[in-house]
Amino acid sequence: AGEVAVASVNGAGKWTIRLKDGAIWTQVDNNELHRTPKPGMPVKIRQAAMGSFLMSINNGGAFRVRRVE
């Protein structure tokens, strides 16, 4: 659990999300986010199969992410 600090789309069209605690996560699937992530939105991250992670923002649909930093 955390909070969005900054969110942006990278050159590959994937979201990169920095949380308030400094962790940086990048989207690795092609799911469309139903809401644009904005600073202050709550984030939930849970472990999925084979060491991957799923992130949901503001109780939206989950998408696969990996931690960059």
Side-chain angles (χ1 to χ4, degrees), residues 5-67:
V6 178
S8 59
V9 177
N10 66 22
K14 311 281 188 185
W15 283 95
T16 298
I17 295 155
R18 182 163 50 90
L19 304 183
K20 291 226 167 135
D21 66 5
I24 299 174
W25 295 81
T26 297
Q27 179 183 13
V28 293
D29 65 16
N30 292 319
N31 289 354
E32 276 191 44
L33 277 57
H34 297 292
R35 292 188 193 109
T36 300
K38 292 186 172 48
M41 284 184 168
V43 173
K44 289 182 188 154
I45 299 168
R46 66 183 191 272
Q47 194 149 8
M50 299 185 296
S52 65
F53 292 88
L54 290 170
M55 176 183 282
S56 64
I57 299 175
N58 210 27
N59 294 318
F63 56 98
R64 277 190 201 288
V65 292
R66 69 178 164 81
R67 186 156 180 180

